[in-house]
Amino acid sequence: MSQATTTCPECTGDLERDSHETVCTQCGLVVDTDRLDRGPEWRSFADDDRNRERVGAPLTRSRHDRGLSTEIGYSSRLTGRKRRQFARLRRQHSRAQVASKAERNQIYAFTEIRRLVSSLSLTYGVRDQACALFDSAQSEGLLRGRSLEGFAAAAVYAVCRTNGVARTVTEIVAVARADENELRAAYTAMNRDLGLPTGPIDAREYIPRFATELDVPRVVERRATELAADAAESGSTGGRKPSGVAAACLYAAAREEDHSLTQQRAADAADVTPATLRNAYYALD
């Protein structure tokens, strides 16, 4: 029932709400019932009453322990020997959270993935899928003799490819702690052994970002999107770099709309050479 409903649907009488039922005062019809208590669990195991909500963070794939770890907190009321005892307990507890070298590698790689996702302004969904992909690669023994940073960057790139998110290798390498060779070696290993469902990214996915960077009018962006759609339908730009095709569409649209945009600026935005842009531009005709 909608929150705005205040009359009975049968007799148009007034409604009265109690803890879990909504009842008509005229005919007694139970219009709505809700037995769920959506409030916090009012229970606390702490020695104070400042925050009695017994709730925690949801499960997440971006942590090696799924976010279920506990911590020994701090208290300003502990002094002397008791404070030193809890400091030792806290130190031992921190060491016990990592049971093996594999978990230590996961902690490092997941931290790197979270940093990359934040730097590239990607979503939490990409972050969690990248961590799950790294976990699968580790379970298959693909990390042996290879760079952890490379696999972290490759996992983010692979998830972007599988989800159609427009991020190039150059963009990821620019913020990663791995070079391009390490990323490509890790990506090749995962693609070969894990069978990633990757495909070419649609050139239209790049156009909004490039249009913003080049500061072109909306009419140019819309026309470039139309050109990219026509090219995809006709297959005239098949086998070409999607980012280069997007830049070529923006350049072609700018020429049609008499907007000043050079080939060099468009190519720089897409991180391709002017020759690559020109070849894609000629293929649009």
Side-chain angles (χ1 to χ4, degrees):
M1 186 190 68
S2 173
Q3 293 288 343
T5 303
T6 58
T7 58
C8 176
E10 295 291 336
C11 67
T12 67
D14 294 332
L15 300 181
E16 182 178 298
R17 294 180 175 85
D18 59 15
S19 58
H20 60 269
E21 286 185 346
T22 303
V23 183
C24 176
T25 57
Q26 299 293 327
C27 65
L29 175 69
V30 178
V31 179
D32 192 21
T33 180
D34 186 3
R35 295 181 179 274
L36 295 179
D37 182 4
R38 292 180 171 80
E41 295 183 80
W42 293 110
R43 185 179 180 188
S44 175
F45 294 99
D47 54 356
D48 55 54
D49 294 329
R50 287 177 296 178
N51 182 11
R52 295 188 294 164
E53 296 184 16
R54 188 162 62 92
V55 295
L59 291 176
T60 174
R61 292 302 303 268
S62 64
R63 304 280 178 177
H64 77 288
D65 53 8
R66 303 295 189 270
L68 290 175
S69 60
T70 57
E71 295 182 0
I72 299 176
Y74 294 83
S75 175
S76 59
R77 287 184 284 182
L78 296 178
T79 58
R81 183 169 147 192
K82 205 70 173 177
R83 173 176 292 190
R84 291 192 296 272
Q85 178 186 0
F86 272 85
R88 288 194 301 270
L89 289 173
R90 197 176 296 113
R91 185 167 56 251
Q92 294 299 324
H93 177 70
S94 177
R95 292 173 180 173
Q97 285 182 323
V98 183
S100 63
K101 184 179 179 181
E103 284 192 4
R104 188 177 297 107
N105 290 341
Q106 269 194 0
I107 293 172
Y108 179 78
F110 287 1
T111 302
E112 175 68 2
I113 288 173
R114 292 196 299 271
R115 188 187 67 81
L116 289 174
V117 167
S118 176
S119 299
L120 295 167
S121 300
L122 299 172
T123 63
Y124 290 154
V126 172
R127 177 200 66 186
D128 292 344
Q129 290 181 51
C131 290
L133 181 58
F134 180 90
D135 192 12
S136 299
Q138 188 179 41
S139 299
E140 293 295 324
L142 303 182
L143 274 64
R144 195 166 302 160
R146 295 189 175 99
S147 164
L148 289 175
E149 295 86 351
F151 266 91
V156 174
Y157 176 66
V159 172
C160 289
R161 287 285 301 270
T162 56
N163 287 277
V165 179
R167 291 294 185 275
T168 63
V169 171
T170 304
E171 288 176 314
I172 294 177
V173 169
V175 296
R177 292 193 175 101
D179 57 32
E180 184 173 342
N181 291 333
E182 290 174 327
L183 186 152
R184 291 193 180 278
Y187 176 76
T188 300
M190 288 192 293
N191 197 21
R192 180 185 64 244
D193 294 342
L194 300 180
L196 302 178
T198 56
I201 296 177
D202 195 327
R204 285 170 287 186
E205 298 290 335
Y206 290 96
I207 289 177
R209 255 186 332 120
F210 294 167
T212 301
E213 185 175 342
L214 294 169
D215 195 23
V216 298
R218 287 286 298 170
V219 63
V220 173
E221 181 181 344
R222 286 195 296 269
R223 180 55 183 153
T225 303
E226 293 173 0
L227 290 173
D230 294 341
E233 185 175 350
S234 65
S236 59
T237 57
R240 299 184 186 277
K241 197 171 183 178
S243 57
V245 174
C249 290
L250 283 168
Y251 174 70
R255 292 196 61 178
E256 289 183 12
E257 300 296 335
D258 292 328
H259 178 73
S260 176
L261 178 63
T262 64
Q263 292 184 6
Q264 186 65 56
R265 283 188 62 216
D268 289 342
D271 194 30
V272 297
T273 63
T276 300
L277 183 145
R278 281 193 296 272
N279 291 334
Y281 170 70
Y282 294 143
L284 294 176
D285 297 335

